[in-house]
Each structure stands twice: as C-alpha cells, then as structure tokens.
Amino acid sequence: MSSSVESLVYLPFALPPLGLASALLLVVCLALLLLRQRGNGSSIPLRQGLVSIDGQSGKVSATTTETAELDSPDKPRCLLLFGTQTGTAERFAKQLKAEMSLRYGATTNFDVVDAEEYDAASKLKEERLVIFLLATYGDGEPTDNAAELYNWTIKASAEEQDLLKDVTFAIFGLGNRQYEHFCAVGKRMHKALKDLGATPVGPRGEGDDDEDIEADFDKWRTELYDALDKCSLLTKDQEQPDITHVSATDGANPLNTVILSGEAATRVQQQQSSWNWGHPSGQNGQGAKPQDSFMATVQCVRELHKPASDRSCLHVELNTEGSSMDYAAGDHVGVYTINPPAAVEEAARLLNLPLDTVFSLEATDSSSSNIDNPFTGPTTLQAALTHHADLLAPINKAAVQAFAALAKGSSADKLQRLLSKDGAQEWKAWHRQSRCLLEVMREFPDVQPSLGAFFGSIAPKLQVRFYSISSSPLPHPRSIHITCAYIDEPTPTGRQHKGVCSQHFGRLKPGDRVSAFVRRSPMHLPQNSSNAVIMIGPGTGLAPFRGFLQDRASQMASGKSLGPAWLFFGCRSKTQDYIYEEELADYQSSGALTQLSVAFSRNGPNKVYVQDHMLKHGSELAALIEGQQTAHVYVCGDAKHMAKDVHKALQTMLQQHKSCSAAEAEAAIQSLADSGRYMRDVW
C-alpha cells in the first residue's frame, strides 16, 4: 500500500530536542532578549516581518511582538478531534479553531487534539462540546491516528446507552465518492455517538475529495455556526460577522521571520550539512509514530520492470540493524521522503532567497493561536524546503487563500475571483488541473511571501509515505523490503509529475540513509497454518503477499505443515511488468505457493484481469472458503476499481457455487470479514 498520511513531518535542527519546560524557557529568554535590545534603541527595520539577529553581537535589528496571553483556564472548552491520513482533516480542525476563537472565544476555549493523543474511554464523557473531523481511509476504515478512538466508540455504543448523555457533538466526515465506503467512518461514528446518548448539533457533514471538499466544508461549517448560534452552549461575539472565515494571513499576522547571521548561522549550516535527516528523538523505529523513526541504511535499489517496459517499479531494501524495529509480514513501513533538489532550488529562487539562508520563526500575539510554528529551532532554507514543504502535490484551497492574501494588482484580482462564490466553477476547473505549489508561485511571481507566511500559512506539510512491507522477518529479520511504482506522468498543466517518494527512492544508492518506522497492520497470515490462503494483488498489490510467501517458505523449511495457498496476480504484459516472476516460480516449485494464476491485461485482444481468473476457478475457491480448510481471503491494491471488481467476483462466485441469492452471498462475505477471514489493504 502506498499513500500519503497526515502526520507531522519533523525536521532536524541545530538545537537538540527540548522538553516542554526547556522550550518555554527558550521562548521567554528570546522574548526578553528582543525586548531588551528594543529598549536599547538598536532596532533598525529591514522589511516587514523580517528580523535579523547577528550571531556574534547578539544585536536585534527589528522588533517582534510580545507573547500572546494563554487561554483562560476558567472558560469551558470545545474540543476539536481530528482523524487524518493526508493532513486535510487536521487543517480543517485548525481553521475551525481560528474561526471559532474569534466568533465565540470570549466565553469558550477551543482545543485541537489529534485523535491518537486523546483518551476517549476516560475523558469523552466529561466533555461539553466535541467536534469530530474524521477521514475515511482505504476500505472504509478509520485513519491510523483515529483507529483507537473509532474502535472504542463503536464497541462502547453496543454496550452502554447513556454514557455520553451530557455531550453535544458535531461531525464532518472526509472521503471520496469514487471509493466504495464514502465517509463511512463519519456515518458510523455519528450513529454510535447518538447510541451512547450524545446530542448532535447541526447536520453531519460529508466532504468529497473527488469533487470540491473545500466547498463541502464551507457549507457544513456555515450550517454548524448557524446551529451553534441558536443553542446555549456558546455565546457569539456580536461584533463578529455572521460567518467568519480566517485564512492564515487574513485577520492574523504571519509568523515573524528571524534571519540569523555570523557564527550562529554558520553553526546551523555546518550541523545540517552532516545531519542524517531523521527525527532527532526516538531513533528506534518501533511504535508507529513519527518520533519513533529510525535512520535505516539503504542496502539495495533495483528496477523490477523489464527493459521493454515504458514504466518503472523499484525494489528497495532497508537495513534496520541497530534499531529495535521489528515487523510481521503484512505490516506497513512509513518513510519520510524529501523533495527533489531541482524543486528545492526553484522554490528558493521564487522566494528570492539563497538556499543557505538560516532562519527561525516566531509567533506574534495575533498569530500564536491560529498558525502553527513548524520548526523547533533555526534551520537553513534548503533543509526547510527539502524536508518540510510539500512543493509538488496539488495545492489546497487554504494555501491559495493564504497566498492570495499577499497578492496585489491583477494577481490579487485573479486569485480573489477564483476564491469567491462567483468563481466556484473557475476554481473547480483550475484546481482539477492539479496545480502544485511551485506552479502557483510560477504563475504569480509578483507575490513574495515572507518565510513566516510561506512555512506558517501557505506551504502544506510534506507527508509520510506508507508502503506495505514486501518481505518477511523470518528470512530478513534486520531488513525491510519495499515495492514502489515509480510515478512519472504528465499533469493537465503540462508538468511532468514524478512521485516525490518514488523519485527519492530512485536517487538512493547503497549506504544512503532513510528515516522510517513500522506501522502495524491487521492483515497477517492466519494463526492456524493449516488454513488455506487466497491472495489477490495485481501490480504493487503483490507486495504483502511476497512477504507472506517468504514466511511460508521459511515455515516449510522448518518442517511445518501448511494449508494450500493461491495467488492471483495481474499486470500488463509478461515481457514488461511481471515483477518477481522468478521468485514466484520458485515458490510454486517448492510448494510454498500451491496455485499461481496470472492475468495479463495487454497480452491479447481482450483485457484479462484478476477477477476473471477468480471466476474461472470459482468452484475450487468456493470449496476452500466454505470447506474444512476455512480459507482466508486477502486483497491488496487499488480501491477505486480493482477491489470493487474483486468483491463483485467473490459475490458472484459464492452465488453460483452455493446456489444462493446476491444478498445471501453478500452476507456470507460480511461474515468472512467479521471473522477476520476477508481482509483488504487498499488505497
């Protein structure tokens, strides 16, 4: 599985990792230093939002604002919980906090919390008002960071009725209508919370990422504010307009930029030039969180497609020696990727700053509650652009809004038109062209954001990429293998888009290091080795099943008795993209793989897919599923098309060979899923 996730990407800096107390002390000391220098009359304005500190003299040549007051602990709070895989739900939650703080902040505190960091079992019943922003991922599942919250809520709703009777809630679900289970997590959570006695305020929202999720969110939050204005939970500030929309630089100053020079800058440049670019704390690779990443060493990068292929697929091996990282066949590996050097150089040129610029960012009193500081200390511009900013992914509306707030003249007119209600259709057409941040900066070169505005408000965070591990720890206990399709395709704007992480892999050489961590997956081989295994995975969907087969081969070598294993693999052509062909033949010869069925979609006059081969073997597969060997069925790959077609084939197969109705076949499949015998790792 390959996808983007929405967890925070951490950067290495010259400063060591700080505890909370140390970080606060540093902020206070810096503020005092700045105020003292201001009092000495040494402030010399350079340009708006820019501060220069000389590393030798310590002189400050511009001013910053005092630290904002903390929220009053006496005010009740509204909790905003987000479950996110690509960052959108988190971004919406923070936007809501900014808007609601202006609208209702006189009487209420607003806290944005990652669902993974919240103990729902002990705390949720004590909340007064909770707003959930929850994405649906893959096969109708919660995102990784919301899984524990989701599972607890669903389970509790079946056991208790009035547990949350004092809680009021609202939900905005995020999804994509091209997938089978659109916004399923938001729908199930809404029902479960009501079953627990909680009271909904306003309608449940649904955002469709295939169309215009920003417009869906705008519609829902307008309805939410209307409902909140009418209830007694919050008191609206009458001076605020009916609908408050806060972009990152409209109504809140961007983060101040502090430019370092002299010895201070040199130290940062020297330290970052030799940094391994992993997370500066943790360093063990186990625990499925960013702070647990480990700097794995690249052992091997090789092409899997044959010379005749016009596409590419990479096999990457990472050495995890020295870490506590362990995994099971079927687990996922998270990789911190980096932007290509050419994109980094162009971004610096468009920002009109040299790559070796050393800077840090500071909150102003008006931005501190609305804009996150992405850095914990000073960094070079090259490091920030390489590891933090998502320069090449399609830009989101919030980033364009922040960018537009800095525009003037004709650029401002065009951007404001795109963002207006009247320009909704123009926005949809413009956004569907998959413009990335670099393209927007190229299109409007006269817009020159400060680094505080760029990193604090405009540039989306570069996300961790997840891959299904394509190896087993039995033969490879200190090595993790990745099977990655190399993305290289034209966009509607004419730009040749190359996947950021696959490009990163393509540049790697043995001895290079990559920051990675293991994330557990529920898709593992059955505990009872005598159970049959049916694996369906075209293309890179083969990845986890290669790990399964390595597992089975090792078990066989140790004398263990195994049930039958079937693999349905699909690709375009036997002579082009039949990956791991020799390995699969060896597994079949050894008996680790009982039956191999390969569908080639471009080898003949008719396209043939894995589901077609499944139907050909319908009676045998039905016997494995319904017979004494109680087969486990696994599907890995594309969720929009392949997974749907495979599910339909499975249903048809059971109908034909069990002589049952479509509804009965679907019920049988659901029973398989409920018992853990039908698992899908899809994206």
Side-chain angles (χ1 to χ4, degrees):
M1 144 196 167
S2 170
S3 64
S4 301
V5 297
E6 302 162 284
S7 49
L8 181 62
V9 176
Y10 293 86
L11 289 177
F13 298 106
L15 295 178
L18 299 174
L20 178 59
S22 299
L24 289 173
L25 178 61
L26 178 63
V27 171
V28 171
C29 291
L30 182 57
L32 290 174
L33 171 64
L34 293 169
L35 290 173
R36 184 179 69 180
Q37 295 294 338
R38 187 191 310 177
N40 290 340
S42 59
S43 295
I44 305 173
L46 298 178
R47 59 185 248 208
Q48 186 175 5
L50 190 67
V51 179
S52 178
I53 300 178
D54 188 288
Q56 294 177 334
S57 67
K59 289 185 178 178
V60 182
S61 50
T63 60
T64 60
T65 54
E66 289 79 3
T67 305
E69 289 186 15
L70 296 174
D71 286 337
S72 169
D74 298 327
K75 292 189 288 186
R77 82 162 177 173
C78 168
L79 177 66
L80 295 99
L81 283 173
F82 67 86
T84 185
Q85 202 77 11
T86 62
T88 306
E90 179 181 3
R91 174 166 59 83
F92 284 166
K94 290 175 179 176
Q95 181 180 333
L96 276 181
K97 176 186 175 180
E99 295 175 4
M100 296 179 78
S101 295
L102 288 176
R103 191 180 180 89
Y104 309 108
T107 58
T108 306
N109 291 331
F110 295 90
D111 291 338
V112 173
V113 178
D114 187 327
E116 188 172 37
E117 306 299 327
Y118 185 73
D119 183 2
S122 62
K123 295 181 179 179
L124 192 55
K125 62 180 179 293
E126 306 297 333
E127 302 292 348
R128 177 169 167 263
L129 174 61
V130 186
I131 299 175
F132 298 86
L133 297 103
L134 302 172
T136 297
Y137 184 65
D139 192 26
E141 298 299 320
T143 58
D144 299 305
N145 71 315
E148 188 173 343
L149 166 71
Y150 172 84
N151 291 334
W152 175 84
T153 307
I154 299 300
K155 182 179 178 182
S157 68
E159 299 172 352
E160 302 187 56
Q161 291 186 340
D162 297 323
L163 181 66
L164 304 182
K165 59 183 176 61
D166 297 324
V167 178
T168 301
F169 74 95
I171 285 184
F172 183 74
L174 297 83
N176 187 310
R177 289 191 188 276
Q178 293 298 314
Y179 289 81
E180 184 177 357
H181 303 285
F182 175 64
C183 286
V185 170
K187 295 172 184 175
R188 294 173 196 148
M189 280 288 289
H190 193 272
K191 180 180 184 303
L193 290 165
K194 287 180 66 177
D195 290 344
L196 284 164
T199 303
V201 57
R204 174 176 55 79
E206 293 183 349
D208 181 10
D209 192 46
D210 191 53
E211 283 293 329
D212 190 348
I213 197 168
E214 308 280 351
D216 295 335
F217 176 65
D218 288 347
K219 177 179 180 295
W220 171 77
R221 68 189 180 86
T222 300
E223 296 169 341
L224 174 65
Y225 293 155
D226 184 58
L228 289 172
D229 288 347
K230 295 175 182 177
C231 76
S232 59
L233 287 170
L234 302 176
T235 302
K236 179 176 177 289
D237 184 345
Q238 296 304 315
E239 295 183 2
Q240 294 296 328
D242 287 340
I243 295 299
T244 302
H245 179 80
V246 179
S247 67
T249 53
D250 181 14
N253 293 330
L255 298 168
N256 276 343
T257 308
V258 180
I259 303 294
L260 278 70
S261 61
E263 291 181 4
T266 301
R267 282 195 299 271
V268 175
Q269 291 165 348
Q270 290 174 343
Q271 291 181 18
Q272 292 196 344
S273 67
S274 61
W275 194 276
N276 286 324
W277 301 115
H279 189 277
S281 64
Q283 297 291 312
N284 63 18
Q286 194 59 55
K289 294 183 182 180
Q291 62 265 32
D292 300 312
S293 64
F294 174 75
M295 292 306 302
T297 302
V298 176
Q299 291 176 300
C300 164
V301 179
R302 61 183 171 90
E303 176 61 55
L304 291 174
H305 282 190
K306 297 175 182 177
S309 176
D310 60 353
R311 299 179 303 144
S312 173
C313 185
L314 300 177
H315 173 86
V316 182
E317 297 182 12
L318 302 179
N319 187 317
T320 61
E321 198 72 45
S323 76
S324 60
M325 190 185 300
D326 67 340
Y327 71 99
D331 281 345
H332 305 144
V333 59
V335 176
Y336 288 101
T337 189
I338 61 175
N339 285 308
V344 170
E345 290 167 6
E346 183 179 6
R349 180 178 59 77
L350 291 167
L351 289 169
N352 199 29
L353 286 169
L355 282 170
D356 62 357
T357 301
V358 177
F359 71 98
S360 62
L361 303 179
E362 295 178 345
T364 66
D365 54 357
S366 58
S367 71
S368 59
S369 64
N370 297 336
I371 302 178
D372 286 338
N373 189 336
F375 309 128
T376 58
T379 180
T380 64
L381 180 59
Q382 182 172 17
L385 290 172
T386 300
H387 300 273
H388 173 79
D390 197 340
L391 302 173
L392 299 176
I395 194 168
N396 60 61
K397 199 168 192 176
V400 177
Q401 288 167 337
F403 189 78
L406 304 173
K408 297 178 181 178
S410 60
S411 293
D413 293 341
K414 181 174 181 179
L415 287 165
Q416 293 300 336
R417 167 70 185 177
L418 281 171
L419 296 168
S420 68
K421 288 184 178 179
D422 292 339
Q425 292 305 313
E426 293 174 48
W427 164 262
K428 186 176 291 187
W430 189 80
H431 190 252
R432 278 189 178 276
Q433 293 181 329
S434 300
R435 279 178 169 81
C436 67
L437 176 56
L438 273 186
E439 286 177 303
V440 175
M441 294 170 71
R442 279 188 220 127
E443 188 173 346
F444 302 97
D446 55 318
V447 181
Q448 288 283 306
S450 69
L451 295 180
F454 183 79
F455 289 105
S457 309
I458 296 170
K461 289 180 293 189
L462 192 58
Q463 302 293 335
V464 174
R465 268 55 170 184
F466 284 100
Y467 297 90
S468 297
I469 297 174
S470 60
S471 56
S472 161
L474 296 183
H476 302 288
R478 305 313 316 157
S479 179
I480 286 177
H481 298 183
I482 297 170
T483 304
C484 171
Y486 189 90
I487 306 301
D488 188 353
E489 56 195 13
T491 68
T493 60
R495 171 176 59 89
Q496 193 70 17
H497 174 64
K498 297 185 177 183
V500 173
C501 198
S502 62
Q503 241 191 125
H504 181 195
F505 287 153
R507 296 191 302 270
L508 292 174
K509 296 178 178 60
D512 289 344
R513 303 184 74 190
V514 172
S515 182
F517 62 96
V518 168
R519 184 182 71 182
R520 297 301 183 201
S521 164
M523 197 169 86
H524 297 142
L525 283 168
Q527 290 185 347
N528 185 347
S529 62
S530 64
N531 289 133
V533 175
I534 300 170
M535 302 168 282
I536 304 116
T540 56
L542 176 60
F545 306 137
R546 179 175 182 262
F548 282 8
L549 292 170
Q550 288 183 3
D551 231 49
R552 286 173 59 87
S554 295
Q555 291 182 52
M556 284 186 66
S558 68
K560 199 166 190 176
S561 178
L562 303 178
W566 285 53
L567 172 63
F568 292 88
F569 173 67
C571 59
R572 291 184 177 183
S573 167
K574 180 177 174 61
T575 60
Q576 295 183 14
D577 56 351
Y578 188 174
I579 62 176
Y580 302 117
E581 180 180 3
E582 294 79 10
E583 289 186 23
L584 295 180
D586 289 343
Y587 289 130
Q588 191 171 19
S589 298
S590 70
L593 178 59
T594 310
Q595 177 73 35
L596 174 62
S597 184
V598 185
F600 300 110
S601 62
R602 306 284 176 92
N603 265 16
N606 299 316
K607 292 185 177 182
V608 181
Y609 298 104
V610 288
Q611 61 269 23
D612 300 315
H613 280 230
M614 288 174 63
L615 291 173
K616 284 183 181 179
H617 296 279
S619 61
E620 297 161 279
L621 296 179
L624 287 174
I625 292 171
E626 296 296 318
Q628 294 182 346
Q629 290 178 306
T630 55
H632 289 233
V633 181
Y634 303 91
V635 182
C636 184
D638 166 50
K640 288 186 180 181
H641 306 292
M642 182 278 297
K644 289 181 181 178
D645 293 337
V646 166
H647 187 93
K648 192 177 298 182
L650 188 59
Q651 184 187 64
T652 301
M653 184 180 74
L654 291 178
Q655 275 184 261
Q656 291 175 347
H657 299 286
K658 286 185 62 178
S659 300
C660 63
S661 67
E664 289 171 330
E666 184 59 35
I669 294 172
Q670 185 58 51
S671 177
L672 283 176
D674 292 343
S675 64
R677 291 176 51 207
Y678 177 42
M679 308 196 77
R680 307 201 298 181
D681 183 358
V682 296
W683 58 90

